[in-house]
Amino acid sequence: MDPVERITRAVLYEGYILWPYRRSALKNRQRWTFGGVFPRSYSEAGHADDPWRMRTECLLEAPAGAMVNVELRFLQVTARQAMQATEGGVAPVDRLVVGADEYLTWEEATERSVRVPPIDVSGAEVSVCLPLSIPADRATETIAADDGSPAGALVRAWRQLEGEIAVVVTPVGPGLFSVAVAISNTTPWSGGERGEAVKQALISAHMVLRTSKGAFVSLTDPPAELREAAARCRNAGTWPVLVGETGDRTTVLSSPIILPDYPEIAPESPGDLFDGGEIDQLLILNVLSLTDDEKREMRASDPRARQILDRCASLTPDQLMRLCGSIRELGSVAG
């Protein structure tokens, strides 16, 4: 996986499910806390902390004819209902047990991606507006018993989403452009608590901007001659940083989590743990110390939690030792 994709996926799934990676854990009873773009009518009904818009703006140095590509990525909350096979068909249950496997009714997430058609930086202002529309739907996964007969099913359902992506590229100086991307959620909302509103929200929303022939400007540390122009850029709910190999200015990640330019995933990390602020070694050792009952619930709670459990169990002693620490840079001490 290339470094840009690796860091964007880390942002996408940050906080998805937290240690101890079980449905019953208190910290997993209120999820979906990063990068939410909620239905407008919900946000404006006294829930300003759950905004219905997200905006990023950055600077691009580019000759005429350079192209800009914008991609919106987010998670959509997906209800997972366990169904038990009965004589008359199937019936909803909280827990489905099939042989040695268990499946819990809970929530998952479906990855969504919307790409704006490439934009030609022509020297004049360019505006592109793209509707966002995801119809409500469901998918059924049949769960078979050991003898192959139907034992039940998992029904995954998601709600309608409606919104808009607006991109405006504006010249602000010779060979210098501002690129602004605004995301809005206009999904009809019929009322309810936050737990219902998140089902029609864009979760972990972030944007990836790429350019050919041009170079984005760091807003975190802009060159002196561009500081005033950088200060005029308006960002709400997200912050753009350069990503990729250090020095490469062709890609920007605008993230709801504050990051430095050129963020990296530690090469020693064996995989996603959905908690970038925690130490991998501690999380992995905690997973390995779970009781059999706790591991059983973790495995039943979520397919991605199951992957964490299997990955931790498969680590070799050498891989575990690599998690103890690394020295990245050594500098000389004066005197």
Side-chain angles (χ1 to χ4, degrees), residues 3 15 40 60 67 90 94 103 110 115 127 132 182 184 194 204 225 246 271 274-275 281 288 299 326:
R40 178 175 183 174
L60 172 68
M67 304 296 292
V90 292
D94 181 65
Y103 307 87
T110 301
R115 295 177 184 267
S127 298
L132 167 66
S184 59
R194 187 181 188 276
S204 294
E225 67 274 15
T246 301
F274 310 133
D275 193 350
Q281 182 192 38
L288 295 176
R299 187 177 295 277
S326 297

PDB file of all heavy atoms in Angstrom, residues 3 15 40 60 67 90 94 103 110 115 127 132 182 184 194 204 225 246 271 274-275 281 288 299 326:
ATOM      1  N   PRO A   3       2.214   5.115   0.584  1.00  0.00           N
ATOM      2  CA  PRO A   3       2.144   5.876   1.838  1.00  0.00           C
ATOM      3  C   PRO A   3       0.945   6.812   1.921  1.00  0.00           C
ATOM      4  O   PRO A   3       0.412   7.045   3.009  1.00  0.00           O
ATOM      5  CB  PRO A   3       3.469   6.649   1.864  1.00  0.00           C
ATOM      6  CG  PRO A   3       3.991   6.618   0.463  1.00  0.00           C
ATOM      7  CD  PRO A   3       3.483   5.347  -0.135  1.00  0.00           C
ATOM      8  N   GLY A  15     -10.679   5.754  15.415  1.00  0.00           N
ATOM      9  CA  GLY A  15     -11.781   5.714  16.367  1.00  0.00           C
ATOM     10  C   GLY A  15     -12.928   4.809  15.971  1.00  0.00           C
ATOM     11  O   GLY A  15     -13.967   4.798  16.645  1.00  0.00           O
ATOM     12  N   ARG A  40     -28.451  18.775   7.548  1.00  0.00           N
ATOM     13  CA  ARG A  40     -28.551  20.205   7.853  1.00  0.00           C
ATOM     14  C   ARG A  40     -29.654  20.497   8.871  1.00  0.00           C
ATOM     15  O   ARG A  40     -29.441  21.260   9.825  1.00  0.00           O
ATOM     16  CB  ARG A  40     -28.813  20.991   6.563  1.00  0.00           C
ATOM     17  CG  ARG A  40     -28.984  22.480   6.795  1.00  0.00           C
ATOM     18  CD  ARG A  40     -29.116  23.252   5.502  1.00  0.00           C
ATOM     19  NE  ARG A  40     -29.209  24.683   5.756  1.00  0.00           N
ATOM     20  CZ  ARG A  40     -29.216  25.613   4.809  1.00  0.00           C
ATOM     21  NH1 ARG A  40     -29.137  25.247   3.531  1.00  0.00           N
ATOM     22  NH2 ARG A  40     -29.299  26.894   5.129  1.00  0.00           N
ATOM     23  N   LEU A  60      -2.356  26.561  -4.479  1.00  0.00           N
ATOM     24  CA  LEU A  60      -1.730  25.751  -5.518  1.00  0.00           C
ATOM     25  C   LEU A  60      -0.897  26.645  -6.428  1.00  0.00           C
ATOM     26  O   LEU A  60      -1.404  27.639  -6.964  1.00  0.00           O
ATOM     27  CB  LEU A  60      -2.804  25.033  -6.346  1.00  0.00           C
ATOM     28  CG  LEU A  60      -2.328  24.281  -7.593  1.00  0.00           C
ATOM     29  CD1 LEU A  60      -1.487  23.076  -7.205  1.00  0.00           C
ATOM     30  CD2 LEU A  60      -3.517  23.856  -8.455  1.00  0.00           C
ATOM     31  N   MET A  67      -3.825  20.290 -13.864  1.00  0.00           N
ATOM     32  CA  MET A  67      -5.091  19.664 -13.494  1.00  0.00           C
ATOM     33  C   MET A  67      -5.159  19.466 -11.988  1.00  0.00           C
ATOM     34  O   MET A  67      -4.141  19.235 -11.325  1.00  0.00           O
ATOM     35  CB  MET A  67      -5.245  18.312 -14.191  1.00  0.00           C
ATOM     36  CG  MET A  67      -5.132  18.363 -15.706  1.00  0.00           C
ATOM     37  SD  MET A  67      -6.444  19.332 -16.488  1.00  0.00           S
ATOM     38  CE  MET A  67      -7.866  18.293 -16.165  1.00  0.00           C
ATOM     39  N   VAL A  90     -36.737 -16.394   8.945  1.00  0.00           N
ATOM     40  CA  VAL A  90     -35.699 -15.886   9.838  1.00  0.00           C
ATOM     41  C   VAL A  90     -36.324 -14.875  10.789  1.00  0.00           C
ATOM     42  O   VAL A  90     -37.340 -14.249  10.475  1.00  0.00           O
ATOM     43  CB  VAL A  90     -34.532 -15.224   9.063  1.00  0.00           C
ATOM     44  CG1 VAL A  90     -33.739 -16.247   8.277  1.00  0.00           C
ATOM     45  CG2 VAL A  90     -35.039 -14.120   8.149  1.00  0.00           C
ATOM     46  N   ASP A  94     -30.372 -10.727  18.895  1.00  0.00           N
ATOM     47  CA  ASP A  94     -29.229  -9.915  19.303  1.00  0.00           C
ATOM     48  C   ASP A  94     -27.918 -10.643  19.045  1.00  0.00           C
ATOM     49  O   ASP A  94     -26.910 -10.025  18.710  1.00  0.00           O
ATOM     50  CB  ASP A  94     -29.338  -9.569  20.788  1.00  0.00           C
ATOM     51  CG  ASP A  94     -28.186  -8.701  21.261  1.00  0.00           C
ATOM     52  OD1 ASP A  94     -28.077  -7.558  20.782  1.00  0.00           O
ATOM     53  OD2 ASP A  94     -27.381  -9.181  22.095  1.00  0.00           O
ATOM     54  N   TYR A 103     -22.158 -13.993  16.044  1.00  0.00           N
ATOM     55  CA  TYR A 103     -22.352 -12.737  15.333  1.00  0.00           C
ATOM     56  C   TYR A 103     -23.308 -11.878  16.156  1.00  0.00           C
ATOM     57  O   TYR A 103     -24.393 -12.336  16.525  1.00  0.00           O
ATOM     58  CB  TYR A 103     -22.939 -12.980  13.939  1.00  0.00           C
ATOM     59  CG  TYR A 103     -22.162 -13.974  13.107  1.00  0.00           C
ATOM     60  CD1 TYR A 103     -22.433 -15.345  13.195  1.00  0.00           C
ATOM     61  CD2 TYR A 103     -21.157 -13.552  12.245  1.00  0.00           C
ATOM     62  CE1 TYR A 103     -21.722 -16.262  12.434  1.00  0.00           C
ATOM     63  CE2 TYR A 103     -20.443 -14.464  11.475  1.00  0.00           C
ATOM     64  CZ  TYR A 103     -20.730 -15.819  11.584  1.00  0.00           C
ATOM     65  OH  TYR A 103     -20.023 -16.730  10.832  1.00  0.00           O
ATOM     66  N   THR A 110     -19.699   1.409   5.943  1.00  0.00           N
ATOM     67  CA  THR A 110     -19.430   1.156   4.531  1.00  0.00           C
ATOM     68  C   THR A 110     -18.581   2.298   3.989  1.00  0.00           C
ATOM     69  O   THR A 110     -18.899   3.470   4.215  1.00  0.00           O
ATOM     70  CB  THR A 110     -20.743   1.059   3.736  1.00  0.00           C
ATOM     71  OG1 THR A 110     -21.535  -0.009   4.275  1.00  0.00           O
ATOM     72  CG2 THR A 110     -20.475   0.794   2.264  1.00  0.00           C
ATOM     73  N   ARG A 115     -15.538  11.012  -6.541  1.00  0.00           N
ATOM     74  CA  ARG A 115     -14.486  11.729  -7.268  1.00  0.00           C
ATOM     75  C   ARG A 115     -15.099  12.832  -8.127  1.00  0.00           C
ATOM     76  O   ARG A 115     -16.047  12.588  -8.882  1.00  0.00           O
ATOM     77  CB  ARG A 115     -13.690  10.771  -8.152  1.00  0.00           C
ATOM     78  CG  ARG A 115     -12.903   9.714  -7.375  1.00  0.00           C
ATOM     79  CD  ARG A 115     -12.200   8.761  -8.332  1.00  0.00           C
ATOM     80  NE  ARG A 115     -11.515   7.696  -7.625  1.00  0.00           N
ATOM     81  CZ  ARG A 115     -10.242   7.740  -7.254  1.00  0.00           C
ATOM     82  NH1 ARG A 115      -9.516   8.820  -7.543  1.00  0.00           N
ATOM     83  NH2 ARG A 115      -9.689   6.727  -6.616  1.00  0.00           N
ATOM     84  N   SER A 127     -15.578  26.772 -11.351  1.00  0.00           N
ATOM     85  CA  SER A 127     -16.455  26.229 -10.313  1.00  0.00           C
ATOM     86  C   SER A 127     -17.066  24.921 -10.806  1.00  0.00           C
ATOM     87  O   SER A 127     -17.528  24.842 -11.949  1.00  0.00           O
ATOM     88  CB  SER A 127     -17.578  27.211  -9.963  1.00  0.00           C
ATOM     89  OG  SER A 127     -17.056  28.415  -9.449  1.00  0.00           O
ATOM     90  N   LEU A 132     -24.243  14.737  -4.364  1.00  0.00           N
ATOM     91  CA  LEU A 132     -23.933  13.502  -3.643  1.00  0.00           C
ATOM     92  C   LEU A 132     -25.254  12.808  -3.347  1.00  0.00           C
ATOM     93  O   LEU A 132     -26.127  13.384  -2.691  1.00  0.00           O
ATOM     94  CB  LEU A 132     -23.187  13.822  -2.347  1.00  0.00           C
ATOM     95  CG  LEU A 132     -23.051  12.692  -1.320  1.00  0.00           C
ATOM     96  CD1 LEU A 132     -22.177  11.583  -1.872  1.00  0.00           C
ATOM     97  CD2 LEU A 132     -22.477  13.219  -0.012  1.00  0.00           C
ATOM     98  N   ALA A 182     -16.054  22.512  -0.659  1.00  0.00           N
ATOM     99  CA  ALA A 182     -17.084  22.568   0.380  1.00  0.00           C
ATOM    100  C   ALA A 182     -17.988  21.345   0.263  1.00  0.00           C
ATOM    101  O   ALA A 182     -18.457  21.011  -0.828  1.00  0.00           O
ATOM    102  CB  ALA A 182     -17.905  23.844   0.254  1.00  0.00           C
ATOM    103  N   SER A 184     -21.483  19.550   1.815  1.00  0.00           N
ATOM    104  CA  SER A 184     -22.700  19.820   2.585  1.00  0.00           C
ATOM    105  C   SER A 184     -23.586  18.581   2.585  1.00  0.00           C
ATOM    106  O   SER A 184     -23.596  17.799   1.635  1.00  0.00           O
ATOM    107  CB  SER A 184     -23.464  21.019   2.015  1.00  0.00           C
ATOM    108  OG  SER A 184     -23.820  20.796   0.667  1.00  0.00           O
ATOM    109  N   ARG A 194     -29.011  11.969  18.506  1.00  0.00           N
ATOM    110  CA  ARG A 194     -27.786  11.912  17.709  1.00  0.00           C
ATOM    111  C   ARG A 194     -27.541  10.513  17.145  1.00  0.00           C
ATOM    112  O   ARG A 194     -27.045  10.354  16.033  1.00  0.00           O
ATOM    113  CB  ARG A 194     -26.584  12.340  18.553  1.00  0.00           C
ATOM    114  CG  ARG A 194     -25.285  12.462  17.758  1.00  0.00           C
ATOM    115  CD  ARG A 194     -24.120  12.874  18.649  1.00  0.00           C
ATOM    116  NE  ARG A 194     -22.935  13.173  17.866  1.00  0.00           N
ATOM    117  CZ  ARG A 194     -22.065  12.264  17.430  1.00  0.00           C
ATOM    118  NH1 ARG A 194     -22.271  10.976  17.702  1.00  0.00           N
ATOM    119  NH2 ARG A 194     -21.006  12.621  16.728  1.00  0.00           N
ATOM    120  N   SER A 204     -16.097  10.461   9.403  1.00  0.00           N
ATOM    121  CA  SER A 204     -14.661  10.469   9.064  1.00  0.00           C
ATOM    122  C   SER A 204     -14.427  11.082   7.685  1.00  0.00           C
ATOM    123  O   SER A 204     -13.539  10.651   6.940  1.00  0.00           O
ATOM    124  CB  SER A 204     -14.065   9.057   9.122  1.00  0.00           C
ATOM    125  OG  SER A 204     -14.062   8.561  10.432  1.00  0.00           O
ATOM    126  N   GLU A 225       6.776  34.606   1.440  1.00  0.00           N
ATOM    127  CA  GLU A 225       6.083  35.426   0.449  1.00  0.00           C
ATOM    128  C   GLU A 225       4.627  35.011   0.248  1.00  0.00           C
ATOM    129  O   GLU A 225       3.850  35.743  -0.379  1.00  0.00           O
ATOM    130  CB  GLU A 225       6.827  35.388  -0.891  1.00  0.00           C
ATOM    131  CG  GLU A 225       6.836  34.040  -1.592  1.00  0.00           C
ATOM    132  CD  GLU A 225       7.971  33.125  -1.139  1.00  0.00           C
ATOM    133  OE1 GLU A 225       8.575  33.416  -0.078  1.00  0.00           O
ATOM    134  OE2 GLU A 225       8.239  32.140  -1.843  1.00  0.00           O
ATOM    135  N   THR A 246       8.477  13.057   1.602  1.00  0.00           N
ATOM    136  CA  THR A 246       8.876  14.404   2.006  1.00  0.00           C
ATOM    137  C   THR A 246       9.407  15.189   0.811  1.00  0.00           C
ATOM    138  O   THR A 246      10.265  14.709   0.068  1.00  0.00           O
ATOM    139  CB  THR A 246       9.956  14.336   3.104  1.00  0.00           C
ATOM    140  OG1 THR A 246       9.433  13.619   4.224  1.00  0.00           O
ATOM    141  CG2 THR A 246      10.366  15.731   3.549  1.00  0.00           C
ATOM    142  N   GLY A 271      -0.428  -3.183  11.592  1.00  0.00           N
ATOM    143  CA  GLY A 271      -1.730  -2.993  10.961  1.00  0.00           C
ATOM    144  C   GLY A 271      -2.616  -2.080  11.777  1.00  0.00           C
ATOM    145  O   GLY A 271      -2.249  -1.619  12.861  1.00  0.00           O
ATOM    146  N   PHE A 274      -6.972   1.361  14.922  1.00  0.00           N
ATOM    147  CA  PHE A 274      -8.024   2.382  15.002  1.00  0.00           C
ATOM    148  C   PHE A 274      -7.829   3.366  16.147  1.00  0.00           C
ATOM    149  O   PHE A 274      -8.786   4.003  16.584  1.00  0.00           O
ATOM    150  CB  PHE A 274      -9.410   1.728  15.105  1.00  0.00           C
ATOM    151  CG  PHE A 274      -9.651   0.674  14.068  1.00  0.00           C
ATOM    152  CD1 PHE A 274     -10.185  -0.556  14.406  1.00  0.00           C
ATOM    153  CD2 PHE A 274      -9.329   0.901  12.741  1.00  0.00           C
ATOM    154  CE1 PHE A 274     -10.403  -1.534  13.447  1.00  0.00           C
ATOM    155  CE2 PHE A 274      -9.539  -0.064  11.770  1.00  0.00           C
ATOM    156  CZ  PHE A 274     -10.074  -1.290  12.123  1.00  0.00           C
ATOM    157  N   ASP A 275      -6.605   3.490  16.640  1.00  0.00           N
ATOM    158  CA  ASP A 275      -6.323   4.409  17.745  1.00  0.00           C
ATOM    159  C   ASP A 275      -4.906   4.935  17.579  1.00  0.00           C
ATOM    160  O   ASP A 275      -3.969   4.473  18.237  1.00  0.00           O
ATOM    161  CB  ASP A 275      -6.487   3.691  19.085  1.00  0.00           C
ATOM    162  CG  ASP A 275      -6.508   4.660  20.267  1.00  0.00           C
ATOM    163  OD1 ASP A 275      -6.204   5.852  20.048  1.00  0.00           O
ATOM    164  OD2 ASP A 275      -6.825   4.234  21.386  1.00  0.00           O
ATOM    165  N   GLN A 281       2.276  -1.307  20.795  1.00  0.00           N
ATOM    166  CA  GLN A 281       2.734  -2.408  21.644  1.00  0.00           C
ATOM    167  C   GLN A 281       1.772  -2.653  22.803  1.00  0.00           C
ATOM    168  O   GLN A 281       1.413  -3.799  23.097  1.00  0.00           O
ATOM    169  CB  GLN A 281       4.130  -2.114  22.183  1.00  0.00           C
ATOM    170  CG  GLN A 281       4.698  -3.248  23.051  1.00  0.00           C
ATOM    171  CD  GLN A 281       5.940  -2.817  23.811  1.00  0.00           C
ATOM    172  OE1 GLN A 281       6.013  -1.679  24.285  1.00  0.00           O
ATOM    173  NE2 GLN A 281       6.914  -3.705  23.921  1.00  0.00           N
ATOM    174  N   LEU A 288      -3.660  -9.609  23.452  1.00  0.00           N
ATOM    175  CA  LEU A 288      -3.170 -10.964  23.708  1.00  0.00           C
ATOM    176  C   LEU A 288      -3.493 -11.442  25.119  1.00  0.00           C
ATOM    177  O   LEU A 288      -3.514 -12.653  25.378  1.00  0.00           O
ATOM    178  CB  LEU A 288      -1.661 -11.023  23.464  1.00  0.00           C
ATOM    179  CG  LEU A 288      -1.213 -10.790  22.012  1.00  0.00           C
ATOM    180  CD1 LEU A 288       0.305 -10.765  21.922  1.00  0.00           C
ATOM    181  CD2 LEU A 288      -1.785 -11.859  21.090  1.00  0.00           C
ATOM    182  N   ARG A 299     -14.402 -11.047  18.704  1.00  0.00           N
ATOM    183  CA  ARG A 299     -14.537 -11.654  17.384  1.00  0.00           C
ATOM    184  C   ARG A 299     -15.957 -11.497  16.845  1.00  0.00           C
ATOM    185  O   ARG A 299     -16.163 -11.303  15.645  1.00  0.00           O
ATOM    186  CB  ARG A 299     -14.149 -13.131  17.470  1.00  0.00           C
ATOM    187  CG  ARG A 299     -14.075 -13.852  16.142  1.00  0.00           C
ATOM    188  CD  ARG A 299     -13.611 -15.287  16.333  1.00  0.00           C
ATOM    189  NE  ARG A 299     -12.249 -15.340  16.832  1.00  0.00           N
ATOM    190  CZ  ARG A 299     -11.167 -15.242  16.064  1.00  0.00           C
ATOM    191  NH1 ARG A 299     -11.305 -15.086  14.757  1.00  0.00           N
ATOM    192  NH2 ARG A 299      -9.963 -15.291  16.585  1.00  0.00           N
ATOM    193  N   SER A 326      12.081   2.415  18.502  1.00  0.00           N
ATOM    194  CA  SER A 326      13.080   2.621  17.459  1.00  0.00           C
ATOM    195  C   SER A 326      13.627   4.033  17.569  1.00  0.00           C
ATOM    196  O   SER A 326      12.925   4.954  18.000  1.00  0.00           O
ATOM    197  CB  SER A 326      12.465   2.433  16.062  1.00  0.00           C
ATOM    198  OG  SER A 326      12.003   1.116  15.882  1.00  0.00           O
TER     199      SER A 326
END
